[in-house]
Amino acid sequence: MYLSKRKAILVISISILVFFFTYTDIKSQDIKITDGDTIKVNGEKIRFSGIDTPELKQICIKQEVKKPCGMTAKQILIDKIADNNVTCVNEGKDQYKRTLAECFVNNESLSSYLVRSGYAFAYRRYSKKFIPDEDYAKFNKLGMWSMEFDYPWDWRKKN
């Protein structure tokens, strides 16, 4: 019986240590949101592949009122990530040496979420993956689809 108690204590101790190290690893993830489609995870700059969000200074117009759609896209991403762990599937590098990836919170694609909310666009030049999400947002007049706006790629050319 004494050996059984020792084994039980050992198993419980190991379980507690494993939990502690796993918990610490998840909470030690340093996430910074740069804009609606770019984040830094533990210092690595990650650009969401296949989507494009408005630039931070980009403005949209709704009923003759200017709306900060670029800042709104960033805030939506901040709210979605909150204190959650982010996992990313690396898809290579872009011309600026940023990691291109699709990132997830609780197994939900952040890119899909942003496009479906109407604050990101399927970047058809590079991917067709998020077109159904964009169609959904457009049909339901969500986010920027309820306003006057320039596509981010057009806005960048003008500014």
Side-chain angles (χ1 to χ4, degrees):
M1 179 151 262
Y2 179 72
L3 280 176
S4 296
K5 285 183 182 180
R6 285 182 82 180
K7 285 181 183 178
I9 290 171
L10 180 64
V11 168
I12 291 170
S13 298
I14 290 171
S15 298
I16 289 171
L17 283 173
V18 168
F19 172 78
F20 175 74
F21 286 121
T22 304
Y23 179 81
T24 302
D25 183 45
I26 290 171
K27 291 300 177 189
S28 69
Q29 191 178 49
D30 180 32
I31 301 171
K32 291 185 176 44
I33 289 58
T34 305
D35 60 24
D37 55 22
T38 309
I39 61 175
K40 277 188 178 178
V41 178
N42 297 330
E44 180 181 8
K45 197 168 195 176
I46 299 172
R47 168 71 164 78
F48 297 163
S49 59
I51 71 166
D52 200 7
T53 61
E55 298 300 320
L56 291 176
K57 294 181 180 179
Q58 193 169 341
I59 302 295
C60 299
I61 299 172
K62 185 170 187 170
Q63 299 172 348
E64 299 181 28
V65 176
K66 292 181 178 181
K67 303 283 185 177
C69 50
M71 291 302 294
T72 302
K74 179 179 178 178
Q75 190 60 51
I76 288 170
L77 184 59
I78 289 168
D79 294 344
K80 183 65 175 173
I81 291 174
D83 291 329
N84 292 299
N85 192 34
V86 175
T87 57
C88 298
V89 177
N90 187 327
E91 296 178 2
K93 298 275 185 187
D94 69 4
Q95 63 189 13
Y96 305 106
K97 308 286 188 240
R98 298 176 295 190
T99 298
L100 291 171
E102 184 172 2
C103 297
F104 301 83
V105 167
N106 299 324
N107 294 321
E108 181 179 7
S109 167
L110 293 171
S111 297
S112 178
Y113 176 78
L114 287 163
V115 174
R116 215 168 162 76
S117 73
Y119 280 96
F121 300 95
Y123 212 169
R124 296 163 194 248
R125 179 175 174 191
Y126 299 104
S127 173
K128 308 285 186 246
K129 187 173 187 178
F130 302 105
I131 292 173
D133 296 315
E134 184 177 287
D135 291 343
Y136 175 86
K138 186 176 184 179
F139 179 79
N140 291 290
K141 297 183 184 341
L142 300 174
M144 292 174 63
W145 294 106
S146 68
M147 304 180 220
E148 295 174 46
F149 66 87
D150 288 324
Y151 287 102
W153 46 88
D154 293 334
W155 189 88
R156 284 190 293 271
K157 286 178 188 174
K158 293 179 190 177
N159 298 280

